[in-house]
Amino acid sequence: MSVYDYIIVGSGIAGLYTALLAREHGSVLVLTKGSLDECNTRYAQGGIAAAIGEDDSPDLHMDDTLKAGGDLCDPEAVRVLTEEAPDRIADLIKLGVAFDTLNGEINLAREGAHSVPRILHAGGDATGERIETTLGVRLRESRISFLENSLLTNILVDEGGARGVEYLEVGSRTRHQIGCTYLILATGGAGQLFRYTTNPSVATGDGVAMAYLAGAEIMDMEFFQFHPTALKLPDAPPFLISEAVRGEGGILKNSLGHAFMKDYSPQADLAPRDVVARATVREMRKASTDHVLLDITHLPSQRVTTRFPQIYRFCLSQGLDITTTPIPVAPAAHYMMGGIRTNSWGETNIKGLFACGEAACTGVHGANRLASNSLLETLVFGKRVVERTMDGSKGVAHYPKDDSLYLRVPDRAALTGQNPPPTLERLQSLMWESVGMERNEQGLMLALGTLAAWQGQLSDHRDRPSAELRNLAITGRLMAEAALLRRESRGAHFRLDYPETLMEWRRNIVITRGE
Ligand SMILES: Cc1cc2nc3c(=O)[nH]c(=O)nc-3n(C[C@H](O)[C@H](O)[C@H](O)COP(=O)(O)OP(=O)(O)OC[C@H]3O[C@@H](n4cnc5c(N)ncnc54)[C@H](O)[C@@H]3O)c2cc1C
């Protein structure tokens, strides 16, 4: 078995940036299950947050992040995130990412729940694509080894910790093993759990599922962010209408043309995402429609087309001119706050196993992510992962005794009743209806029983679709377990049967694999 110093799984911003840093310290292999640029990163529109403006400071950025996180962020991790942000932006600029400027200065935009303009963007609303393309070019230039269409199927662990990976070559369906000293999971999110999502097809929670199977701690899985404004046109593919559209003055209106957000929050259209998403669902329910309208027609059309070229062009290709017609939108699953538990150096409880990016749960987002903090998180903690490996120790996280709730979930459950065989469509519908934006005990129990039974039937992962379905069943189940346990509402987790936020629940839920 060949052995690398670093194996990095995933080629979004977290995987590519970490690989570019790690190559200074040893041999690196990047594994990715599709092509190099298939990932959530390239769809990011709004931008990346950092306190670089004159009226801004890391303290202010920290305050906004803590407020959005529903009293559940790890303050130390947020401090690291906000203090190191400007340096990581400088790194991206050095690597060649050209952020938009105005009169020679970086042009900062404002987004919901940020108290000042602090969002850097590139190519207007093409920030993620610009970052992904630039880092991809740097990776190819650096001659780092990478394998496309190579899907991680198993983390090899022994008493000494993580020692390598098993992966499936997707085309030939053959399996291989490779060893490493440091294994870094940068496998991204899990939007494909839900029927409606802004995430591309690679977002199937693979890293979380495999880390759980390997014995890693998984935290905050009940918190999944739903974005209030995904485009809702018949037959249009999933497409996000960035929060930045409301930041520029876009207004949400119901079917009667009423600007409804001021009825729900003093921050109106710039309220946190979960507030806007639930308000939107209520307005849709009241009017029995499947969308509300996001109106930006009052802005000068040239401002719309230059600030949002990608959104403008995409909507036009679907027959909608957003400079003259309001945009039909509805909520969709967007961002996984929970994930593989790490400390602020990206270390997990398994020696040699690290995680960064959306797959990781560093504690910076708490119960709800502040917009544009996620691209930033990948850089700040990706850098710290590599720094940690440089001290020569094989990292492992030791957590001080805390009041988190620890739950052991067996990976097989007794079959309950008759369930239809698992398919991606069935799983996505079940999750949308029972583990979605509004939850209750009955729905969560139904989802849990079904997912546990499906998990038992999905142990074989001979090809990419079957491996992904297994990973979705596991990730969905961990989400339903945590959502059932948390008998309150907080941030993105909303229980119809427990609508209050309770002091006694100001704690994290940490799941590990049990017998
Ligand atoms: C439409 C959209 C808009 C967004 N806008 C913003 C924004 O404006 N600002 C912001 O901060 N955030 C935004 N986000 C969130 C942000 O883009 C992501 O959180 C971030 O890009 C995650 O980066 P990552 O590298 O962790 O994961 P990803 O970019 O998703 O990369 C994950 C990689 O892992 C690979 N992978 C997964 N499983 C396996 C496996 N089993 N084997 C091998 N490879 C595997 C995937 O193929 C992929 O290459 C947005 C997300 C979406 C979907």
Side-chain angles (χ1 to χ4, degrees), residues 18-264:
T18 309
L20 287 166
L21 298 177
R23 62 126 190 225
E24 305 290 333
H25 310 285
S27 55
V28 179
L29 172 69
V30 175
L31 278 186
T32 193
K33 68 178 171 181
S35 63
L36 201 64
D37 65 350
E38 270 181 73
C39 54
N40 270 358
T41 300
R42 62 182 271 226
Y43 297 95
Q45 295 175 349
I48 179 163
I52 60 165
E54 263 178 25
D55 305 331
D56 204 357
S57 70
D59 283 349
L60 202 53
H61 188 183
M62 178 162 175
D63 282 354
D64 289 343
T65 303
L66 294 174
K67 258 185 226 142
D71 268 342
L72 213 66
C73 302
D74 175 346
E76 173 55 19
V78 177
R79 190 193 56 74
V80 167
L81 178 86
T82 52
E83 280 183 2
E84 295 184 10
D87 288 346
R88 298 295 75 79
I89 295 293
D91 290 353
L92 275 191
I93 293 171
K94 251 187 251 152
L95 284 163
V97 177
F99 289 107
D100 296 337
T101 54
L102 187 66
N103 305 326
E105 300 284 326
I106 288 184
N107 186 3
L108 296 172
R110 174 129 188 233
E111 280 188 350
H114 286 273
S115 50
V116 294
R118 78 163 60 99
I119 318 299
L120 294 92
H121 44 88
D125 54 5
T127 311
E129 193 190 304
R130 295 285 170 94
I131 293 176
E132 183 67 18
T133 310
T134 307
L135 297 185
V137 169
R138 296 289 162 267
L139 188 95
R140 286 173 205 275
E141 285 169 0
S142 72
R143 306 227 180 95
I144 291 173
S145 308
F146 65 92
L147 291 172
E148 296 182 301
N149 301 309
S150 299
L151 178 135
L152 174 74
T153 47
N154 201 3
I155 297 171
L156 306 177
V157 185
D158 62 21
E159 276 129 42
R163 63 177 179 83
V165 296
E166 178 189 86
Y167 73 93
L168 178 81
E169 212 178 288
V170 174
S172 64
R173 295 191 187 180
T174 50
R175 292 201 197 196
H176 309 269
Q177 293 195 346
I178 312 186
C180 61
T181 311
Y182 303 110
L183 175 57
I184 303 170
L185 296 181
T187 46
Q192 288 297 321
L193 280 169
F194 296 96
R195 192 195 301 159
Y196 303 110
T197 180
T198 61
N199 291 189
S201 63
V202 290
T204 53
D206 297 7
V208 168
M210 273 174 285
Y212 155 79
L213 290 176
E217 292 183 338
I218 309 295
M219 190 166 87
D220 288 353
M221 285 303 288
E222 64 276 37
F223 301 112
F224 201 97
Q225 187 172 80
F226 290 80
H227 199 292
T229 58
L231 181 66
K232 188 82 183 175
L233 278 176
D235 304 325
F239 188 77
L240 181 77
I241 307 296
S242 165
E243 182 131 15
V245 172
R246 278 174 287 130
E248 288 287 324
I251 299 168
L252 283 164
K253 294 182 176 169
N254 65 16
S255 56
L256 301 173
H258 172 60
F260 60 84
M261 270 317 299
K262 54 185 185 303
D263 306 339
Y264 291 88

Side-chain angles (χ1 to χ4, degrees), residues 344-395:
S344 64
W345 295 98
E347 293 166 307
T348 71
N349 59 313
I350 298 179
K351 210 171 178 186
L353 179 67
F354 294 78
C356 59
E358 194 167 337
C361 181
T362 58
V364 294
H365 305 303
N368 209 359
R369 173 186 69 126
L370 181 67
S372 290
N373 264 353
S374 41
L375 289 172
L376 176 64
E377 182 197 22
T378 66
L379 301 174
V380 168
F381 294 95
K383 165 98 174 168
R384 289 170 74 88
V385 165
V386 177
E387 278 178 1
R388 194 53 152 196
T389 64
M390 282 157 54
D391 70 12
S393 66
K394 227 188 160 200

